[in-house]
Structures are given as C-alpha cells and as structure tokens.
C-alpha cells in the first residue's frame, strides 16, 4: 500500500513538473488577441474557424493535414510560413514534404482575410489558428494561441531535415530538444499520430519484411496479430502495395484526437518505429503509460505542447513580412 502511494505521488510530481515545463517558453512579443481591432471590426479568429469548419464538414482528414503541416512547418526555421512557398528548391519540394496536404485551406483563409483587411494577417498565424480549430473539431480540447507572427522571406529545400520515422526514442527526443522542447513535450507531440497516416512503403522494410536488415524478417516487437493483418491485407510484399494507406491509429479512431494512440503503443501496435520506440524505451515509457491510462491528461496537455511548438523561432514586430498570398513572397 505504501509502495503504491509513493508510486502515485511520484507520478503526480512528474506530471506537475511536465506541466510547468509546458507552460514555459514562447515568444514574449506574441499576444493573445493580437488582431483585435485590426481588421475593420472583423473577428479574425472567427473567420479562420468558420472556414476550417466548412472544410472539415466535407473533408474530415483536414485535421491530420493541418497538424502535419504545423509540424513540418515549425521544426524547420520556426513557424514562419516557409513551407507554403511555391517554386523550385523551396521547402515544399523537399522529399519529406511532397505528401503534405492542406495548402488549399490556408489559401482560402488568406484570400478571405485579404478581402476583409489586406496586409494584416500573416500566413504563419493562419496556419497556427487553423490547426487549433481543426484539433477542436476532431474532438480535442479548444485552446487559445498567441498571434503576431510574421512571414519569413526564406524557403529552401536544403533546410528541410525532419526526424526519421525509424528514430529511436533518444533520437526523437534529441531532435525536438534542439527546438527547446522537453521529453514530455515530444511524447505529447507524437500523439498527433492519433489522426495520422502513412504508406506501406514506410514500414515494409523496417517492420514487416526486412527487420534489422534481414530479408523476410518481421519486427518481433510488433503485435503478431497486427503484423499478420498488415502483411496479408494492407501491405503484402509486392511493389503495388507501396502506396497503400496505413493509419497510425486504429481506423475507427483515426479521425479522433484522443489517447488511443498511446494505448496501442502499450499493446505493441505502434505503426512507425519512432512511435513504438517511445514505449520500448524506459525513459519515455512512463509518459506513454500516463497518457494511455488517463484520456483527460492527454486532452488537456496536448494543446499546450502544440502551443510550445507554434512559438518556436517565430518572427514578430517588423521582422519578415505579411504576404499578400501565402505561396509567394511579396
């Protein structure tokens, strides 16, 4: 009994420390309600929310599109709209970004706001606001974000160095650590895979047919029933299956922002190695267990981690520019 009490107290203390860490950081020049009174009496955030809601009604996977876009945007030079730029050699053309979707949503929001108040709202703020609204529509918690970002005049494919889907837990946490994010932040942020998807090509070698570089070997750390399902029905070992969709959470939960992703890791059903490795490593397993066993904890903390990510290396004040359209510099 005493041991259980000590264990519970220790877990509570670790959560409290993690929450304090989540609350820290951010750009002091960003503000709540930055656009209030700056758009001819229009509520900028309500405009964004309305357009995202209309897209969600006809295309629910927009949740995953926008979450993924925020990740791919903010980890490269910060949340600066660089991913949105068209043209040869831009971030958008880097191999990991070729499958990013949702650009049309951002363009639609920008066009409406330019119509109402030209040159006021940045593309980078639109991305963060749109993601926030998509998370809430997907069953996540509603949360506030600070705005006032400006758009950077830089977008280079050579800058794009994203974390590998095959990373160990140590490699993943080190990657996000360089952005000022904690281990707890990192495990929370990978919870975005609750609405994510990949392709069979991403797991056929690493998990199903050549584990450890051995031809025909299947990752013994993958639930055998799931390995059988993937190999038999979803990702058979033929080239034509490479582009088949694999949900990173169970399909019935793949459009819900919930903690089911972590429960799957406990059951050895993580799809990408970087996901399952969070549970295989003792330094992150305890966080997975906390989030898997308490749905409310993930719901409340996931937005805080997204906010921290959204404030990485932002431009404010007179830095950068406010683009007229999001896919090209002024």
């Amino acid at each position: 009994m005493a041991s259980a009490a000590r264990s519970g107290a220790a877990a509570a203390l670790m959560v409290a420390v993690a929450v304090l860490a989540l609350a820290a950081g951010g750009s002091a020049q960003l503000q709540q309600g930055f656009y209030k009174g700056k758009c001819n009496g229009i509520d900028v955030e309500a405009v964004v929310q309305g357009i995202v809601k209309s897209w969600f009604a006809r295309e629910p996977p927009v949740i995953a599109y926008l979450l993924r876009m925020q990740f791919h945007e903010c980890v490269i030079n910060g949340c600066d709209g660089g991913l949105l730029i068209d043209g040869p050699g831009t971030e958008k053309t880097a191999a990991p970004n070729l499958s990013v979707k949702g650009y049309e949503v951002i363009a639609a929001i920008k066009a409406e706001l330019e119509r109402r108040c030209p040159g006021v709202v940045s593309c980078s703020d639109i991305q963060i606001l749109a993601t926030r609204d998509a998370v809430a529509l997907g069953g996540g918690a509603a949360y506030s974000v600070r705005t006032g970002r400006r758009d950077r005049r830089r977008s280079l494919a050579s800058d794009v160095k994203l974390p590998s889907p095959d990373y160990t837990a140590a490699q993943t946490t080190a990657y996000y650590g360089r952005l000022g994010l904690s281990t707890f932040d990192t495990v929370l942020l990978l919870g975005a895979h609750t609405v994510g998807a990949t392709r069979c090509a991403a797991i056929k070698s690493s998990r199903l047919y050549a584990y450890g570089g051995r031809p025909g070997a299947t990752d013994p750390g993958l639930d055998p029933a799931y390995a059988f399902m993937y190999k038999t029905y979803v990702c058979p070992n033929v080239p034509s299956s490479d582009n088949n969709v694999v949900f990173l959470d169970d399909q019935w939960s793949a459009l819900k922002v919930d903690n089911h992703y972590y429960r799957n890791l406990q059951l050895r059903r993580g799809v990408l190695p970087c996901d399952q490795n969070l549970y295989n490593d003792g330094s992150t397993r305890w966080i997975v267990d906390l989030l898997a066993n308490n749905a409310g904890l993930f719901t409340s903390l996931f937005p805080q981690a997204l906010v921290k990510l959204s404030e990485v290396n932002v431009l404010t004040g007179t830095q950068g520019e406010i683009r007229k359209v999001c896919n090209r510099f002024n």
Side-chain angles (χ1 to χ4, degrees):
M1 182 74 72
S3 176
R6 284 195 298 271
S7 177
L13 177 61
M14 287 187 286
V15 172
V17 170
V19 171
L20 288 173
L22 283 163
S27 170
Q29 295 187 61
L30 297 177
Q31 302 172 24
Q32 296 283 350
F34 176 83
Y35 293 108
K36 188 174 182 180
K38 297 179 181 178
C39 190
N40 301 322
I42 300 300
D43 184 337
V44 167
E45 296 193 20
V47 172
V48 175
Q49 184 180 57
I51 295 175
V52 172
K53 189 173 182 179
S54 68
W55 276 81
F56 174 77
R58 61 181 183 267
E59 195 170 352
V62 74
I63 310 165
Y65 301 164
L66 293 175
L67 269 172
R68 186 165 183 242
M69 182 186 289
Q70 178 171 324
F71 275 73
H72 285 229
E73 177 69 80
C74 293
V75 300
I76 307 300
N77 298 327
C79 307
D80 60 3
L83 178 58
L84 303 175
I85 295 294
D86 288 338
T90 62
E91 288 181 33
K92 189 181 288 187
T93 68
N97 289 334
L98 295 177
S99 57
V100 173
K101 300 179 181 179
Y103 298 115
E104 300 89 347
V105 184
I106 305 303
I109 296 168
K110 179 62 171 173
E112 180 61 19
L113 289 172
E114 283 296 299
R115 187 180 70 81
R116 294 173 180 244
C117 51
V120 172
V121 185
S122 69
C123 298
S124 44
D125 270 344
I126 289 171
Q127 288 177 288
I128 301 308
L129 290 168
T131 302
R132 184 264 313 263
D133 295 331
V135 168
L137 288 167
Y143 61 98
S144 60
V145 297
R146 300 193 296 176
T147 46
R149 295 166 189 78
R150 291 177 57 96
D151 303 319
R152 196 183 307 272
R153 291 186 57 83
R154 178 187 179 95
S155 180
L156 296 174
S158 57
D159 288 344
V160 177
K161 297 175 177 62
L162 292 166
S164 167
D166 295 337
Y167 268 3
T168 65
Q171 290 172 317
T172 301
T173 55
Y175 180 95
Y176 287 100
R178 289 191 288 272
L179 302 175
L181 300 169
S182 70
T183 297
F184 205 103
D185 296 330
T186 300
V187 179
L188 280 167
L189 288 172
L190 263 68
H193 288 171
T194 183
V195 292
T198 187
R199 302 285 176 176
C200 286
I203 63 170
K204 286 171 73 172
S205 292
S206 62
R207 306 215 70 190
L208 300 179
Y209 301 111
Y211 175 74
R214 301 190 305 273
T218 299
D219 185 350
L222 177 61
D223 177 356
Y226 270 55
F228 174 82
M229 176 188 68
Y230 290 136
K231 293 170 72 172
T232 305
Y233 302 109
V234 185
C235 305
N237 195 18
V238 292
S240 59
S241 74
D242 284 358
N243 286 323
N244 289 354
V245 173
V246 182
F247 293 101
L248 299 179
D249 197 350
D250 285 342
Q251 189 167 355
W252 62 265
S253 182
L255 293 176
K256 297 178 182 178
V257 179
D258 59 19
N259 73 330
H260 192 263
Y261 160 84
Y262 299 102
R263 292 160 62 190
N264 268 350
L265 300 188
Q266 290 178 316
L267 297 170
R268 299 189 298 147
R269 295 174 181 174
V271 175
L272 297 173
C274 64
D275 293 323
Q276 191 58 52
N277 286 340
L278 295 179
Y279 197 69
N280 295 343
D281 190 304
S283 67
T284 47
R285 181 184 300 125
W286 69 273
I287 305 173
V288 173
D289 282 335
L290 277 174
L291 299 172
N293 297 334
N294 188 330
L297 191 63
F298 173 70
T299 299
S300 63
L301 296 186
F302 181 53
Q304 295 181 47
L306 288 175
V307 168
K308 280 191 72 173
L309 177 65
S310 79
E311 298 190 354
V312 168
N313 197 24
V314 297
L315 301 183
T316 58
T318 60
Q319 299 172 311
E321 65 182 14
I322 303 296
R323 292 184 202 144
K324 296 176 183 177
V325 293
C326 290
N327 62 347
R328 65 175 182 268
F329 303 126
N330 290 344

